[in-house]
């Protein structure tokens, strides 16, 4: 039986500010991971292409702002969980060449003390920011 998920755009700036506070607190304390399993091959390739070590990944998440938020959605792997989607442009090093790169970031908050970055790569479709 297929699982149906919903997409949510009814967030306030205050809600997203509070969410980002939790995210940044955990990331700042190194309580995060970027998924690089076979299922998340795009992340691994993106991290390799732009030489994103753990410190650079951390810096990128810490730079997220409310205006980078796009929407949230139910996690089809865990209906109790909500995923938050962001898109932000960063200046990244592609083996000696600095490039402005739009980055798609999908975040899952595990309880209130660990963050899983499910996606960290170029967007595959146009991402609309909720608060323009």
């Amino acid at each position: 039986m297929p699982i149906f998920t919903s997409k949510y755009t009814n967030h306030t700036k205050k809600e997203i500010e509070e969410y980002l506070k939790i995210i940044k607190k955990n990331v700042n304390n190194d309580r995060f991971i970027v998924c690089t399993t076979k299922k998340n091959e795009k992340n691994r390739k993106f991290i390799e292409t732009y030489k994103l070590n753990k410190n650079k990944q951390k810096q990128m998440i810490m730079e997220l702002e409310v205006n980078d938020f796009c929407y949230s959605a139910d996690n089809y792997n865990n209906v109790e969980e909500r995923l938050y989607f962001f898109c932000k442009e960063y200046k990244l090093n592609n083996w000696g060449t600095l490039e402005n790169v739009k980055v798609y970031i999908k975040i899952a908050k595990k309880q209130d003390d660990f963050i899983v970055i499910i996606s960290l790569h170029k967007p595959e479709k146009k991402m609309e920011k909720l608060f323009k």
Side-chain angles (χ1 to χ4, degrees):
M1 183 166 99
I3 297 173
F4 295 97
T5 62
S6 294
K7 179 177 173 179
Y8 303 95
T9 57
N10 59 342
H11 298 281
T12 65
K13 280 189 170 188
K14 183 80 173 151
E15 270 182 275
I16 302 307
E17 284 171 4
E18 292 302 315
Y19 181 80
L20 280 171
K21 277 183 192 175
I22 294 167
I23 299 304
K24 290 178 179 185
K25 176 183 168 211
N26 286 289
V27 168
N28 194 47
N29 291 324
D30 292 320
R31 303 275 308 143
F32 78 103
I33 189 169
V34 176
C35 295
T36 55
T37 63
K38 194 157 188 78
K39 182 179 174 193
N40 306 92
E41 186 71 12
K42 289 178 218 154
N43 294 346
R44 190 189 58 71
K45 286 181 179 178
F46 187 80
I47 288 167
E48 282 179 9
T49 299
Y50 294 101
K51 300 188 282 189
L52 304 178
N53 63 24
K54 186 87 168 180
N55 286 336
K56 183 62 177 178
Q57 295 166 23
K58 182 177 185 175
Q59 176 190 342
M60 290 170 70
I61 302 304
M62 295 300 287
E63 289 177 9
L64 284 176
E65 299 172 353
V66 170
N67 290 337
D68 300 318
F69 177 72
C70 300
Y71 61 92
S72 69
D74 297 325
N75 184 348
Y76 59 84
N77 290 319
N78 177 357
V79 293
E80 303 293 315
E81 185 173 69
R82 183 80 62 92
L83 305 175
Y84 287 74
F85 298 75
F86 295 83
C87 191
K88 184 172 183 72
E89 190 169 294
Y90 297 93
K91 189 172 287 282
L92 300 176
N93 182 349
N94 186 352
W95 297 92
T97 303
L98 287 180
E99 299 177 1
N100 289 325
V101 181
K102 281 189 179 170
V103 181
Y104 167 78
I105 302 169
K106 182 181 355 174
I107 302 174
K109 181 177 65 165
K110 304 297 182 180
Q111 291 77 47
D112 273 341
D113 63 350
F114 197 79
I115 306 306
V116 177
I117 309 301
I118 297 170
S119 295
L120 183 74
H121 54 76
K122 289 182 180 179
E124 296 174 328
K125 60 184 178 187
K126 187 169 173 38
M127 297 291 291
E128 293 290 330
K129 294 185 179 182
L130 185 61
F131 311 112
K132 296 175 186 171

